[in-house]
Amino acid sequence: LARFFSVEWFALVARLLGSNGALAVVLPGSPGYVPDDLARVLARVRLTMQHGLQPGASNAVRLVPAGATLLIGASAPTPACDAAYYTNALAVSSIKPPLGWFSRALIEDYVSPLRLRQFDTACAAQHVTQPQYDLIPRSYGDAVLYSESRFNSTLHALLARLYGSPVQMRRGLGVAGAILCALVVLLIMRRGASCAAPLLMACASAAGFTLEMLALIRYTLARGTAFYGVGLLFAAFMLGLSLAGMALHYVAAARRRAALSVCLLALAAAAAIVLLAPVPGDAVGATLVCSGLTMVTGAAVGALFTTLALLRRGRGTGIAIYAADVAGAVLAAVLIGVVAPPAVGFLPVVVIV
């Protein structure tokens, strides 16, 4: 649900469609009652298609309710909703063979006013007002909820609280952030400077892991899920960690405090590069650019880790710094991988971290 159900992807399709072209998207359906979780998925993708194919239009996407729901859109204004329109749209679409069960007789039954009103009412009841974008994958939460409801998962109640209301999610993230900041301040007041290095490492690790994940996400958006590419990106991150760590051992002890400031600046520069650097569309270019982005991020985090370890040598904080490094990465993984994407997207998490 990342790339093929985003406004950017549908906009790309709209530029490629002819004046009489049509795009058909197949989604789960229901022969009778329309569950809330299914209605939310349909409403989100339909709204996203409308934003991508015909921004500002209210009738750019037609819905064919059935056991498998069809969303049919065009890049130009479409005629009134009738069976002939759907039949013609299927005839010119490239997905007609796998959808052979959508005969004219079935379509005439599916697009009856009663069925259309049933699905439209169910979708409208979800109050979906925001589409999905490449870096704001709102359909992620919709799909997880629908999947868990289909299989009667015991996690559905928890996931409904997590993904059911983005507004509540943003409020929860704000409250959690405030509590975390209060705990950090309390820790500093009680422990003083002894906890400064682990806290700095935890924050840097969270930022580094978040940037690494963003580079991986941008690569996946550009090239799809290529396992060799993902492996190269992780290898580049670890290579950056290793090279920076070895290089810092040759920095004179008197310059290590200055090196700490340089490491923080390097991490900020890595954030700007990962956020703003364009990713080429070709395989070689995308792999090289995203590998370079992860290597820069890894080098910044590795240099900071090594500098803190060398500065605090002999004070028994090596284990604390390493534990803080892991804790920061765990926090970032939960934020950018599970909690935040449907509510605020990836970029706000990167900016906050």
Side-chain angles (χ1 to χ4, degrees):
L1 281 167
R3 184 52 171 156
F4 298 130
F5 293 90
S6 66
V7 170
E8 292 88 345
W9 190 82
F10 286 122
L12 174 61
V13 173
R15 292 195 294 269
L16 300 176
L17 282 176
S19 58
N20 63 340
L23 170 69
V25 174
V26 185
L27 293 173
S30 174
Y33 169 72
V34 185
D36 289 344
D37 293 322
L38 172 61
R40 189 180 300 109
V41 172
L42 299 179
R44 183 85 64 192
V45 178
R46 187 179 188 179
L47 180 65
T48 304
M49 286 182 68
Q50 289 175 346
H51 277 71
L53 295 176
Q54 294 185 46
S58 59
N59 62 343
V61 179
R62 306 295 188 181
L63 185 148
V64 181
T69 306
L70 271 182
L71 294 178
I72 302 176
S75 56
T78 56
C81 175
D82 57 20
Y85 167 74
Y86 292 118
T87 305
N88 293 334
L90 286 174
V92 300
S93 72
S94 61
I95 63 170
K96 182 183 177 183
L99 294 179
W101 64 85
F102 278 93
S103 64
R104 183 181 181 85
L106 283 175
I107 291 176
E108 289 176 348
D109 179 52
Y110 291 146
V111 298
S112 66
L114 177 62
R115 290 286 288 165
L116 290 173
R117 193 180 309 114
Q118 178 189 20
F119 272 71
D120 287 340
T121 302
C123 292
Q126 302 307 311
H127 304 290
V128 174
T129 59
Q130 298 294 326
Q132 164 158 309
Y133 295 93
D134 280 346
L135 294 178
I136 308 179
R138 295 186 173 95
S139 293
Y140 173 87
D142 301 336
V144 170
L145 282 176
Y146 173 68
S147 174
E148 296 300 328
S149 66
R150 288 184 64 200
F151 298 106
N152 297 318
S153 171
T154 55
L155 293 175
H156 185 267
L158 174 62
L159 294 173
R161 290 182 174 273
L162 191 61
Y163 298 136
S165 175
V167 175
Q168 292 182 3
M169 169 68 74
R170 288 191 286 269
R171 291 174 180 170
L173 287 175
V175 172
I179 293 174
L180 182 61
C181 290
L183 291 176
V184 169
V185 172
L186 181 62
L187 182 61
I188 293 176
M189 293 175 60
R190 290 177 62 91
R191 301 291 300 275
S194 62
C195 65
L199 286 176
L200 180 60
M201 189 65 245
C203 294
S205 178
F209 188 89
T210 302
L211 294 176
E212 179 192 11
M213 289 299 297
L214 180 60
L216 181 60
I217 291 163
R218 296 190 65 190
Y219 176 81
T220 304
L221 291 173
R223 298 301 308 163
T225 306
F227 293 104
Y228 74 89
V230 173
L232 288 176
L233 263 61
F234 278 111
F237 182 82
M238 301 307 294
L239 179 61
L241 285 173
S242 176
L243 292 177
M246 290 187 294
L248 262 295
H249 276 286
Y250 297 98
V251 175
R255 298 181 179 179
R256 284 173 185 163
R257 291 194 176 277
L260 186 61
S261 300
V262 173
C263 293
L264 293 175
L265 290 175
L267 188 59
I273 294 172
V274 174
L275 286 170
L276 303 176
V279 178
D282 62 289
V284 175
T287 303
L288 290 177
V289 169
C290 291
S291 296
L293 296 179
T294 57
M295 182 180 294
V296 170
T297 302
V301 175
L304 185 63
F305 180 91
T306 304
T307 302
L308 289 174
L310 291 174
L311 287 174
R312 307 290 292 182
R313 180 184 294 177
R315 301 185 187 182
T317 58
I319 296 177
I321 292 174
Y322 179 73
D325 182 20
V326 176
V330 170
L331 176 63
V334 173
L335 276 178
I336 199 169
V338 179
V339 176
V344 298
F346 297 116
L347 292 182
V349 176
V350 175
V351 173
I352 291 171
V353 173

